[in-house]
Amino acid sequence: MSVTDRCNLRCSYCLPEGSQVWLPKAEIATLEELASLVRVMTLVGTTKVRITGGEPLLRRDLPTLVQALAEIPAIQDLAMTTNAIPLPDLAGDLRSAGLGRLTISIDTLQAARYKTNTRRDSHGKLLAGIRSAEEAGFTPLKLNTVVVRGTNEDELAALLRFARERGHQARFIEYMDVGGALNWDPALVVPRSEILHRLESECGPIKALAPGDNSPANLFTLSDGTVFGIIASVTAPFCGACDRARLTADGKLFTCLYAADGLDLLGPLRAGAAEEDLATMVDGRWRSRDDHGGQDRLEVSERGPSAQVPDLLAKPHLGMHTKGG
Ligand code: SAM
């Protein structure tokens, strides 16, 4: 669930400067409405919720929402993905409110690179955010790295060591051609095979672990027991096993990260629809879903970005920052 489409960074692979129209404020669901939509999702079987964005920590009074979600009996796993910059002010409150797990994005250990990629000089704040998450008890963290050739593929072993030294789990994500990835090019994707090869040459032998639940990450281990994940969304899309539904901050339901149109739930909710009626709508959409964006993209010859600036301006929901990564 994306709780806001706003972000404090401008990562070139997600939300490059000038590529976005923000969702109108009046169309953003209130915290009560978001909690109601999550209850609707639980009526059709949802047990896990990941809060994301945009940058979810920019949403005012987020701990209040976390507490409301933590109180929904059907929710067994409540997690959040964040860039961690505002975290020092919020980590303790989020923990007390009932947030279970945190995933933090860290694409580089180098402040200058971070600034180039995100257009913000905030690497020190990211590290402070990681420390605050540790102090608040969110350990182990998952540390997400989007691997983009020419920007950070030389840091994979260093990022893995950084995670290991702190007892966290590194997860390397192939660079996807989704939403605002306007400079995407197949040559910039560092495939899972190369990620493994690079890590093996610096960290020693790697073994694949047996697949677990429906997590998109393939898990691997070093000989010292360090476990890490790779999300090969580009070279090995997992559409067939995908069980994720996405709710946007304006209350639309999407059944694929690549989809342009979602099912509006906020309109009917504001018009007075009961949660049970909304659940029937969600059930219908879920059962009839036939999108497999990652696999469809494999068929595209001369593959480039999946959207251009005019598409993103006309259809804000195409953006990863709107749909929630
Ligand atoms: N602002 C938060 C953050 O930075 O983690 C949450 C939202 S962000 C859209 C969620 C995740 O999507 C991050 O791990 C980010 O790196 C990933 N992401 C965004 N664009 C991507 C792309 N083109 N390819 C792969 N992952 C991407």
Side-chain angles (χ1 to χ4, degrees), residues 233 237-242 255-259 288-300 303:
S233 333
F238 38 85
C239 303
C242 178
T255 52
C256 181
L257 196 47
Y258 284 91
S288 62
R289 79 197 162 117
D290 61 355
D291 33 24
H292 12 68
Q295 257 150 22
D296 292 347
R297 294 294 297 162
L298 282 180
E299 312 291 319
V300 176
R303 190 168 167 182

Side-chain angles (χ1 to χ4, degrees), residues 106-110 113 145-149 151-164 170-173 190-200 202-203 222 228 230:
I106 175 163
D107 294 336
T108 176
L109 296 171
Q110 301 178 25
R113 278 188 177 180
T145 298
V146 180
V147 187
V148 182
R149 195 178 303 287
T151 74
N152 62 356
E153 83 275 27
D154 55 343
E155 281 192 71
L156 304 184
L159 284 157
L160 184 53
R161 279 186 222 111
F162 176 88
R164 176 176 62 187
R171 305 205 319 171
F172 301 103
I173 307 174
V190 181
R192 176 174 57 193
S193 53
E194 184 180 334
I195 293 174
L196 286 170
H197 181 70
R198 285 177 173 273
L199 289 173
E200 199 144 32
E202 284 196 57
C203 305
L222 301 179
F228 64 94
I230 300 182

Side-chain angles (χ1 to χ4, degrees), residues 13-14 52-55 81-83 105 144 146 174-176 320 325:
Y13 57 69
C14 183
T52 180
E55 175 41 51
T81 303
T82 173
N83 63 36
S105 295
N144 273 1
V146 180
E174 289 179 352
Y175 177 25
M176 294 174 70
M320 184 88 133

